[in-house]
Amino acid sequence: MELEAIPGVGAKTAASLRELDDPVATVESGDVAAIARAPGVNEARAARIARGAIRRRHGDDGRVLATDRARELYREAIDLLRERTVTDYAAKRLETFYPSASASRIAEAQSFAAAAADRDPDPAVREALADCAPLSDPPTVRVRDRCLATADAETLARAEAEVPELSVETVEDARDVSELGRSYASVIVLDESFAGLDVEGDVSVRPDALEAPAETVPERLLAFFAENRDRLEAAAAVHEAAAAAGDPVSGGGPPVALDRLRDALSRLDDDGTIAGDAELDRLTAAVDDLDAAVSTAASVADDRLREAIRERDVTIEGTDFLSLVEQGARVDSLLDRELADEYDAAVDAAREHLADALRLEPEEAELAERVFGGDPSFPVDHDESAVSRLRTELSAARDRRAAKLKADLASDLGDLRQPVKELVRDALELDVELAVARFARDFDCTLPEVVEPAGDDDGGEAPPAGFRIEGGRSPLLDVDFPDVEPVDYGVSGATLLSGVNSGGKTSTLDLVALVVVLAQMGMPVPAESATVERFEEIHYYAKSQGTLDAGAFEATLRDFGDLVDGADGRLVLVDELESITEPGASAKIIAGILEALDDQDATAVFVSHLAREIRAAADFEVAVDGIEAAGLVDGELRVNRSPKKGHLARSTPELIVEKLADDRGGEFYGDLLEKF
């Protein structure tokens, strides 16, 4: 698949996506977090890219949401789902679900939703999800003690691009390699021509080093796991909580053994270095504490020697005294002659302290012995070159130990990188599923039946399938959901919906639109049952705020002219179109629109208070449904919320006149009532 073929992906975005390991597979997976790892692509943009890829895969080029109000209903539906997520990832991932005109996409989404709705949204799992987040790429780690070397310009360029963590040096011969061996703890030569090279230092010839980055620069893999430690532990906790709740994330268990993962992470420090190895800790501390330990050891020797001098009576002959004065108070010869044993004991104490303080091994202690000794002196002196030699040996041992441990740990973690990606992705996807499950439970949802438009298989002779909703309750109303009265309503063809003011006509339109939008998203709908035609477009026109001026009125008519021009497969919902102009003209206009929609076999519901006038002006038998009022009780309207088929509902004024006629009687109220 060409990335540029995805709707909304231009050349610049495609170039960013190609920075991903497997851009096509990543984009097609719908994994918003993985797509967002492309340079310059945030999660919101990643969701749009994933949605575009889904559209292309299903040949879904249509735009189901054809009006502003239809798009508003979709946003409200998405928000209801997003409110039930825990992670930012899940909130963005839900954006990849959209009302589709593609049967295959709807079926695919319904399959996901059906499995999700069976999930148990356990509170412990929700709590564990709170710390879950997508994996992130760590900053590039610079490794100073190792380098790559090559004599080939192309290899040099490739190495610099593929292994930015290491310096890449140019060499021409063995002498150049030997010099690098003295400057770096280890050197990796990339050219086969240097095979058999024998130079001093840790130098290896590995032409395949660039193909094995985990061996060449294990710090890269370790940095990845160190950067994502908390995310991995959080994902592991999600899997464990879900399993404990009896609803595991996946049937086969986590894609990685969690004990093995935690053991590996315990050997890794937060900065990507090795943790928990006593020998490495010893060597690291020895290098860090060497200067301080040497200074303290010298003080130990000085204290021992000072105490010995205090306890001894030393006789100084005249010639010795004269020599001390002439030599500026040098005491080497005096110490050598009078306090040789005490001096040796003081030096031994310094050596022992240095070895103990640094916890040196026997072979290291032998090097430490050279730090103190030589000609007697007070204060006791140390050999700086011996200290430097000891530091070099300890540093080399530390680096060798660290390199081995890094390589071993990278080897252990190498085959876990893909499984831990799946571990985190599955945990995050679980949040998406649980959001759908909570939505379905909170609003007593069911998975609707989405049917093909009538006529697709029989030459178009049958009327449109339309929609049928049983026990539908809108979660968009400003009341507690348990208090929402259920509505039964179905329409096939062009229909007028009549009813009293505040009787629920607009709420019914909202419910119809919401159910159809959710159904074509592949999501559960808030109803006991529902059957919905797979509409190509949803046109929902909200109630106009006041009469339109001539220009706006003309624009509105043009919109409806475009609408009725080929309205097959469309759902049209219109709320009180008569408010755009004078009632007499409105009735004629609505009648004409309904005639055109009826000719196109579209499904349409027009809410109107002019049902009688529209029906009189129409050239066909307009279906009229009514939300019937049961009457006024203590000044409050009592309404049967489910529209009654084939019934012209009474208006609020008629109900009031009827009540007055019943309560007060008299010719006046009786005459008024007869006019209705």
Side-chain angles (χ1 to χ4, degrees), residues 423-456:
L423 180 82
V424 173
R425 184 197 63 210
D426 291 349
L428 292 169
E429 283 292 314
L430 177 63
D431 191 23
V432 182
E433 296 176 29
L434 292 180
V436 175
R438 285 192 286 272
F439 174 83
R441 295 189 180 201
D442 289 349
F443 302 122
D444 295 336
C445 293
T446 187
L447 207 61
E449 181 183 6
V450 181
V451 300
E452 293 300 298
D456 276 10

Side-chain angles (χ1 to χ4, degrees), residues 386-551:
V387 174
S388 179
R389 174 71 184 277
L390 179 58
R391 178 181 289 105
T392 299
E393 291 298 323
L394 290 172
S395 297
R398 176 201 61 193
D399 293 343
R400 285 194 300 271
R401 180 71 179 178
K404 180 181 184 304
L405 291 171
K406 287 178 182 178
D408 291 346
L409 183 53
S411 177
D412 290 346
L413 291 172
D415 63 344
L416 296 185
R417 179 148 189 176
Q418 186 57 39
V420 298
K421 288 182 179 179
E422 296 174 12
L423 180 82
V424 173
R425 184 197 63 210
D426 291 349
L428 292 169
E429 283 292 314
L430 177 63
D431 191 23
V432 182
E433 296 176 29
L434 292 180
V436 175
R438 285 192 286 272
F439 174 83
R441 295 189 180 201
D442 289 349
F443 302 122
D444 295 336
C445 293
T446 187
L447 207 61
E449 181 183 6
V450 181
V451 300
E452 293 300 298
D456 276 10
D457 300 322
D458 58 11
E461 295 299 325
F467 63 85
R468 179 69 194 172
I469 301 169
E470 297 287 345
R473 290 190 292 165
S474 174
L476 304 178
L477 297 176
D478 192 20
V479 295
D480 293 337
F481 185 74
D483 297 331
V484 177
E485 296 180 35
V487 172
D488 300 335
Y489 194 38
V491 169
S492 175
T495 302
L496 285 170
L497 179 59
S498 61
V500 296
N501 289 331
S502 303
K505 299 185 297 298
T506 298
S507 298
T508 299
L509 282 192
D510 284 349
L511 174 64
V512 170
L514 181 65
V515 167
V516 173
V517 164
L518 285 168
Q520 296 198 210
M521 289 170 63
M523 291 289 113
V525 301
E528 294 177 5
S529 67
T531 301
V532 174
E533 177 184 338
R534 180 172 58 82
F535 294 108
E536 293 292 328
E537 295 178 1
I538 301 172
H539 295 257
Y540 187 176
Y541 295 91
K543 186 185 303 183
S544 175
Q545 301 300 315
T547 303
L548 303 181
D549 60 29

